[in-house]
PDB file of all heavy atoms in Angstrom:
ATOM      1  N   GLN A 119      29.032  10.707 -46.475  1.00 97.00           N
ATOM      2  CA  GLN A 119      29.100  10.012 -47.756  1.00 97.00           C
ATOM      3  C   GLN A 119      29.572   8.573 -47.538  1.00 97.00           C
ATOM      4  O   GLN A 119      30.533   8.338 -46.794  1.00 97.00           O
ATOM      5  CB  GLN A 119      30.055  10.724 -48.712  1.00 97.00           C
ATOM      6  CG  GLN A 119      29.548  12.090 -49.162  1.00 97.00           C
ATOM      7  CD  GLN A 119      28.243  11.996 -49.942  1.00 97.00           C
ATOM      8  OE1 GLN A 119      28.128  11.207 -50.884  1.00 97.00           O
ATOM      9  NE2 GLN A 119      27.256  12.784 -49.547  1.00 97.00           N
ATOM     10  N   LEU A 120      28.875   7.641 -48.168  1.00 98.00           N
ATOM     11  CA  LEU A 120      29.262   6.235 -48.156  1.00 98.00           C
ATOM     12  C   LEU A 120      30.279   6.060 -49.282  1.00 98.00           C
ATOM     13  O   LEU A 120      29.941   6.178 -50.451  1.00 98.00           O
ATOM     14  CB  LEU A 120      28.034   5.344 -48.369  1.00 98.00           C
ATOM     15  CG  LEU A 120      28.245   3.839 -48.394  1.00 98.00           C
ATOM     16  CD1 LEU A 120      28.817   3.342 -47.078  1.00 98.00           C
ATOM     17  CD2 LEU A 120      26.924   3.135 -48.689  1.00 98.00           C
ATOM     18  N   LYS A 121      31.542   5.814 -48.909  1.00 97.00           N
ATOM     19  CA  LYS A 121      32.627   5.728 -49.898  1.00 97.00           C
ATOM     20  C   LYS A 121      32.630   4.374 -50.597  1.00 97.00           C
ATOM     21  O   LYS A 121      32.873   4.306 -51.793  1.00 97.00           O
ATOM     22  CB  LYS A 121      33.991   5.994 -49.245  1.00 97.00           C
ATOM     23  CG  LYS A 121      34.093   7.340 -48.527  1.00 97.00           C
ATOM     24  CD  LYS A 121      33.727   8.508 -49.406  1.00 97.00           C
ATOM     25  CE  LYS A 121      34.865   8.917 -50.292  1.00 97.00           C
ATOM     26  NZ  LYS A 121      34.562  10.097 -51.109  1.00 97.00           N
ATOM     27  N   ASN A 122      32.427   3.299 -49.851  1.00 97.00           N
ATOM     28  CA  ASN A 122      32.315   1.967 -50.444  1.00 97.00           C
ATOM     29  C   ASN A 122      31.731   1.004 -49.422  1.00 97.00           C
ATOM     30  O   ASN A 122      31.689   1.300 -48.232  1.00 97.00           O
ATOM     31  CB  ASN A 122      33.656   1.450 -50.985  1.00 97.00           C
ATOM     32  CG  ASN A 122      34.686   1.217 -49.908  1.00 97.00           C
ATOM     33  OD1 ASN A 122      34.391   0.698 -48.842  1.00 97.00           O
ATOM     34  ND2 ASN A 122      35.924   1.585 -50.170  1.00 97.00           N
ATOM     35  N   TYR A 123      31.270  -0.129 -49.917  1.00 98.00           N
ATOM     36  CA  TYR A 123      30.799  -1.199 -49.038  1.00 98.00           C
ATOM     37  C   TYR A 123      30.841  -2.508 -49.808  1.00 98.00           C
ATOM     38  O   TYR A 123      30.848  -2.522 -51.037  1.00 98.00           O
ATOM     39  CB  TYR A 123      29.390  -0.923 -48.492  1.00 98.00           C
ATOM     40  CG  TYR A 123      28.278  -0.969 -49.498  1.00 98.00           C
ATOM     41  CD1 TYR A 123      27.570  -2.148 -49.722  1.00 98.00           C
ATOM     42  CD2 TYR A 123      27.920   0.169 -50.217  1.00 98.00           C
ATOM     43  CE1 TYR A 123      26.539  -2.187 -50.640  1.00 98.00           C
ATOM     44  CE2 TYR A 123      26.887   0.132 -51.134  1.00 98.00           C
ATOM     45  CZ  TYR A 123      26.197  -1.047 -51.345  1.00 98.00           C
ATOM     46  OH  TYR A 123      25.179  -1.088 -52.252  1.00 98.00           O
ATOM     47  N   GLN A 159      37.139   9.749 -41.748  1.00 97.00           N
ATOM     48  CA  GLN A 159      36.562   8.480 -42.206  1.00 97.00           C
ATOM     49  C   GLN A 159      36.438   7.461 -41.075  1.00 97.00           C
ATOM     50  O   GLN A 159      37.258   7.434 -40.170  1.00 97.00           O
ATOM     51  CB  GLN A 159      37.417   7.878 -43.329  1.00 97.00           C
ATOM     52  CG  GLN A 159      37.411   8.693 -44.594  1.00 97.00           C
ATOM     53  CD  GLN A 159      38.211   8.050 -45.705  1.00 97.00           C
ATOM     54  OE1 GLN A 159      38.996   7.138 -45.498  1.00 97.00           O
ATOM     55  NE2 GLN A 159      38.006   8.530 -46.922  1.00 97.00           N
ATOM     56  N   LEU A 188      32.903   1.950 -45.611  1.00 98.00           N
ATOM     57  CA  LEU A 188      33.706   3.107 -45.241  1.00 98.00           C
ATOM     58  C   LEU A 188      32.863   4.348 -45.486  1.00 98.00           C
ATOM     59  O   LEU A 188      32.322   4.524 -46.588  1.00 98.00           O
ATOM     60  CB  LEU A 188      34.985   3.163 -46.084  1.00 98.00           C
ATOM     61  CG  LEU A 188      35.933   4.317 -45.807  1.00 98.00           C
ATOM     62  CD1 LEU A 188      36.595   4.152 -44.441  1.00 98.00           C
ATOM     63  CD2 LEU A 188      36.996   4.389 -46.899  1.00 98.00           C
ATOM     64  N   VAL A 189      32.740   5.196 -44.453  1.00 98.00           N
ATOM     65  CA  VAL A 189      32.001   6.451 -44.585  1.00 98.00           C
ATOM     66  C   VAL A 189      32.935   7.615 -44.300  1.00 98.00           C
ATOM     67  O   VAL A 189      33.947   7.462 -43.609  1.00 98.00           O
ATOM     68  CB  VAL A 189      30.772   6.523 -43.651  1.00 98.00           C
ATOM     69  CG1 VAL A 189      29.738   5.467 -44.016  1.00 98.00           C
ATOM     70  CG2 VAL A 189      31.163   6.420 -42.198  1.00 98.00           C
ATOM     71  N   GLU A 190      32.545   8.769 -44.830  1.00 97.00           N
ATOM     72  CA  GLU A 190      33.337   9.978 -44.628  1.00 97.00           C
ATOM     73  C   GLU A 190      32.403  11.121 -44.268  1.00 97.00           C
ATOM     74  O   GLU A 190      31.342  11.274 -44.877  1.00 97.00           O
ATOM     75  CB  GLU A 190      34.117  10.308 -45.894  1.00 97.00           C
ATOM     76  CG  GLU A 190      35.042  11.503 -45.764  1.00 97.00           C
ATOM     77  CD  GLU A 190      35.915  11.646 -46.992  1.00 97.00           C
ATOM     78  OE1 GLU A 190      35.362  11.937 -48.080  1.00 97.00           O
ATOM     79  OE2 GLU A 190      37.133  11.448 -46.866  1.00 97.00           O
TER      80      GLU A 190
END
Side-chain angles (χ1 to χ4, degrees):
Q119 292 298 310
L120 180 61
K121 303 306 279 183
N122 65 42
Y123 68 93
Q159 294 182 345
L188 180 70
V189 296
E190 184 172 66

